[in-house]
């Protein structure tokens, strides 16, 4: 599978432009890479050079601390019929990121089954596939958190259960693809805030980071230009996390 080094360079340059425009020495800046499922398959399948991808990212983003989550995942942590990871399996990833950002606090969750799904892959292969299950992780913090969506100019819940009957049920997590939103945790008064630049994997991950922060802002630059973020976000003294999946890193031209 070909590694697109020009795409890595493109993504890195866009991240550096954000850093140059908004971030200072008062920001704690981190990045991580979400591996695709192919990384965990060892059946003589074609693979990109994952080590080279990781090395290029670390070289290009040397102003940010790299948090490696590859060894916190395996194939069973992903849906069978879709590319995304299962929220109920990634608390270990959230904990690793919080520890890497020096802001770890333990959290307990209840797991609730919401819907059965057949993801995008289920209709692309000529074999019968089992349904996957969409589960959500809940606790008192997440049940009381308020999410502000800048597109709809309205507040909502962390989990949008109206999406359980939609075509893409993964949109249950933070209402799916959204340019800009904030999650407010009124039960945490430490004043620490996190800004996440992310793709769709961040939708199910961000709720599991909320216990440690008073506020989390999520930005998806596939849908909003970074040049206008200063109109909406105060970056001063915030933790900043860039989290992108390998599919985006290797084909980054959708990022503005």
């Amino acid at each position: 599978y070909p590694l697109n080094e020009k795409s890595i360079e493109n993504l890195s340059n866009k991240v550096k432009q954000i850093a140059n425009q908004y971030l200072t020495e008062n920001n704690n800046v981190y990045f991580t890479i979400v591996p695709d499922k192919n990384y965990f398959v060892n059946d003589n399948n074609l693979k990109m050079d994952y080590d080279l991808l990781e090395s290029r990212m670390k070289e290009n983003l040397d102003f940010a601390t790299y948090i490696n989550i590859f060894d916190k995942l395996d194939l069973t942590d992903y849906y069978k019929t879709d590319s995304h990871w299962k929220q109920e399996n990634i608390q270990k990833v959230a904990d690793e990121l919080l520890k890497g950002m020096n802001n770890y606090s333990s959290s307990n969750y209840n797991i609730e089954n919401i819907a059965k799904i057949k993801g995008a892959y289920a209709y692309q292969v000529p074999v019968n596939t089992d349904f996957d299950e969409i589960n959500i992780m809940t606790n008192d913090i997440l049940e009381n958190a308020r999410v502000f969506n800048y597109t709809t100019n309205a507040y909502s819940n962390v989990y949008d259960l109206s999406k359980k009957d939609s075509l893409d049920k993964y949109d249950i997590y933070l209402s799916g693809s959204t340019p800009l939103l904030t999650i407010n945790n009124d039960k945490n008064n430490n004043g620490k805030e996190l800004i996440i630049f992310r793709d769709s994997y961040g939708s199910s991950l961000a709720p599991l980071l909320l216990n440690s922060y008073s506020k989390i802002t999520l930005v998806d630059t596939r849908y909003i230009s970074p040049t206008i973020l200063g109109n909406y976000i105060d970056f001063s003294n915030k933790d900043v996390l860039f989290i992108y999946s390998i599919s985006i890193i290797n084909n980054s031209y959708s990022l503005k």
Side-chain angles (χ1 to χ4, degrees):
Y1 187 74
L3 180 67
N4 187 342
E5 293 196 52
K6 289 184 178 179
S7 176
I8 298 173
E9 191 73 20
N10 178 65
L11 182 140
S12 300
N13 286 338
K14 290 180 177 180
V15 171
K16 285 188 280 191
Q17 288 171 1
I18 292 169
N20 290 337
Q21 183 172 358
Y22 297 113
L23 307 184
T24 71
E25 60 184 13
N26 294 320
N27 294 107
N28 299 311
V29 187
Y30 310 90
F31 80 95
T32 193
I33 300 168
V34 180
D36 59 354
K37 293 199 288 186
N38 201 44
Y39 175 80
F40 303 102
V41 180
N42 295 295
D43 193 23
N44 295 320
N45 51 307
L46 294 172
K47 285 178 177 277
M48 70 172 65
D49 189 335
Y50 291 98
D51 290 337
L52 180 58
L53 180 146
E54 187 179 43
S55 175
R56 288 284 187 269
M57 290 287 290
K58 290 166 71 175
E59 290 172 5
N60 293 341
L61 305 182
D62 58 356
F63 58 89
T65 300
Y66 175 54
I67 305 174
N68 188 338
I69 61 171
F70 279 64
D71 62 352
K72 299 301 177 183
L73 293 160
D74 61 48
L75 192 59
T76 63
D77 296 326
Y78 297 75
Y79 299 116
K80 288 182 179 180
T81 65
D82 197 77
S83 62
H84 289 104
W85 52 21
K86 305 172 186 176
Q87 190 192 47
E88 65 271 21
N89 283 29
I90 60 169
Q91 184 176 356
K92 55 195 174 184
V93 172
D95 289 347
E96 185 71 10
L97 291 172
L98 290 171
K99 290 173 183 176
M101 295 187 291
N102 300 307
N103 196 31
Y104 172 74
S105 57
S106 61
S107 301
N108 295 313
Y109 301 92
N110 298 314
I111 299 175
E112 296 182 15
N113 179 250
I114 299 300
K116 291 185 180 295
I117 65 164
K118 281 198 172 184
Y121 296 156
Y123 306 101
Q124 297 176 4
V125 293
V127 294
N128 290 326
T129 54
D130 294 331
F131 281 94
D132 282 304
E133 292 188 345
I134 289 280
N135 297 302
I136 60 173
M137 298 180 69
T138 66
N139 58 18
D140 186 54
I141 290 172
L142 293 177
E143 288 171 358
N144 288 280
R146 296 174 298 116
V147 180
F148 184 76
N149 187 320
Y150 287 79
T151 301
T152 62
N153 199 36
Y155 285 95
S156 63
N157 297 322
V158 169
Y159 302 115
D160 185 353
L161 299 185
S162 70
K163 303 290 187 181
K164 67 181 181 181
D165 297 319
S166 66
L167 184 62
D168 189 353
K169 293 179 175 61
Y170 189 76
D171 287 352
I172 286 171
Y173 303 109
L174 294 176
S175 300
S177 299
T178 307
L180 181 64
L181 56 80
T182 58
I183 316 173
N184 297 282
N185 177 10
D186 294 334
K187 292 186 175 293
N188 186 320
N189 58 7
N190 67 9
K192 291 186 69 67
E193 296 185 22
L194 173 66
I195 300 168
I196 304 177
F197 288 86
R198 53 83 175 219
D199 55 26
S200 57
Y201 286 79
S203 294
S204 55
L205 173 68
L208 306 185
L209 304 175
L210 188 62
N211 180 65
S212 296
Y213 288 94
S214 297
K215 179 179 177 181
I216 294 180
T217 300
L218 291 97
V219 185
D220 193 333
T221 60
R222 292 175 297 176
Y223 309 112
I224 187 171
S225 171
T227 59
I228 65 171
L229 291 177
N231 296 328
Y232 304 98
I233 303 173
D234 177 7
F235 286 86
S236 303
N237 300 306
K238 308 295 193 299
D239 289 350
V240 180
L241 172 65
F242 294 89
I243 174 169
Y244 291 111
S245 62
I246 280 178
S247 59
I248 290 292
I249 295 171
N250 207 45
N251 187 19
S252 63
Y253 303 104
S254 61
L255 300 180
K256 297 184 183 301

